[in-house]
Amino acid sequence: HFRDLGLYRHATLAAVRTGALSPAGLFASPLFIQRMAYPTYFSDLVEAEAAARGLDPLLIYSLIRQESFFERGARSFAAAQGLTQVIPSTAEWIANAIGWPNFQPDDIYKPYINVKFGTYYLFAALEMFDGNPYPALVGYNAGPGNAQYWLDQAATDDNDLYVEEISISEPKLYVRRVLAHLANYQRLYGK
């Protein structure tokens, strides 16, 4: 019912809770419930933007699920906004980088702009870190300077050790959660 009303956050959380109530857990529940817990809302936007940047759309869904639970009007305590939780200063930078005409701060709540901007920002982070999703996701969450600092501190190619080097709990947990979501999306929707 929540899904049909466009209340995607509530629909997703209700599916997660329903799966958790199963004695065997979410991933033993019916496939329909699992897919409701890991939805592909805004697929027309996500698929198009992922294709335009050569990214896996399942990574974008994973990021959106973590950032906003697909709630288009989401706003964090740090002023991150919309589906992909882009902060205003980053949105301005992205608008300039991609040549988006007449960008206004409230535009970031429009899903087609937010998905475009969030996908671009993740794409830029992936390029900065040679396609490695670990520091790219940390950069998306905590800023590319922090991601690079922790990468330098780790002084290793081992992504798990890199994550352990992160000294702030939020980005450490963030990268783990997004990649766990990605594993679930791949299991549910991968080829």
Side-chain angles (χ1 to χ4, degrees), residues 47-61:
E47 301 287 332
E49 291 304 323
R53 299 285 174 203
L55 300 180
D56 181 356
L58 299 178
L59 179 58
I60 307 302
Y61 291 124

Side-chain angles (χ1 to χ4, degrees), residues 70-93:
F70 298 89
E71 183 180 331
R72 69 181 76 211
R75 182 181 172 95
S76 76
F77 67 91
Q81 301 166 347
L83 294 169
T84 62
Q85 291 290 279
V86 177
I87 62 172
S89 60
T90 301
E92 291 285 345
W93 175 81

Side-chain angles (χ1 to χ4, degrees), residues 87-109:
I87 62 172
S89 60
T90 301
E92 291 285 345
W93 175 81
I94 294 167
N96 289 329
I98 66 174
W100 192 262
N102 305 315
F103 176 73
Q104 300 297 313
D106 283 344
D107 289 348
I108 203 63
Y109 286 109

Side-chain angles (χ1 to χ4, degrees), residues 61-69 173-174 177-178 181:
Y61 291 124
S62 301
L63 183 141
I64 293 172
R65 186 183 188 279
Q66 180 61 36
E67 291 287 359
S68 68
F69 276 104
L173 187 56
Y174 178 85
R177 285 184 175 167
V178 173
H181 297 330

Side-chain angles (χ1 to χ4, degrees), residues 11-143:
T12 304
L13 293 173
V16 169
R17 181 71 179 131
T18 300
L21 291 172
S22 167
L26 174 64
F27 298 113
S29 64
L31 186 59
F32 170 76
I33 299 296
Q34 294 179 57
R35 287 190 170 174
M36 288 287 298
Y38 288 88
T40 57
Y41 302 126
F42 302 98
S43 61
D44 55 336
L45 302 174
V46 171
E47 301 287 332
E49 291 304 323
R53 299 285 174 203
L55 300 180
D56 181 356
L58 299 178
L59 179 58
I60 307 302
Y61 291 124
S62 301
L63 183 141
I64 293 172
R65 186 183 188 279
Q66 180 61 36
E67 291 287 359
S68 68
F69 276 104
F70 298 89
E71 183 180 331
R72 69 181 76 211
R75 182 181 172 95
S76 76
F77 67 91
Q81 301 166 347
L83 294 169
T84 62
Q85 291 290 279
V86 177
I87 62 172
S89 60
T90 301
E92 291 285 345
W93 175 81
I94 294 167
N96 289 329
I98 66 174
W100 192 262
N102 305 315
F103 176 73
Q104 300 297 313
D106 283 344
D107 289 348
I108 203 63
Y109 286 109
K110 297 174 183 172
Y112 77 96
I113 293 175
N114 192 278
V115 171
K116 178 181 284 298
F117 281 29
T119 301
Y120 177 80
Y121 191 50
L122 181 59
F123 169 78
L126 284 162
E127 277 199 328
M128 179 181 289
F129 295 107
D130 300 321
N132 186 336
Y134 286 77
L137 287 166
V138 171
Y140 191 99
N141 177 261

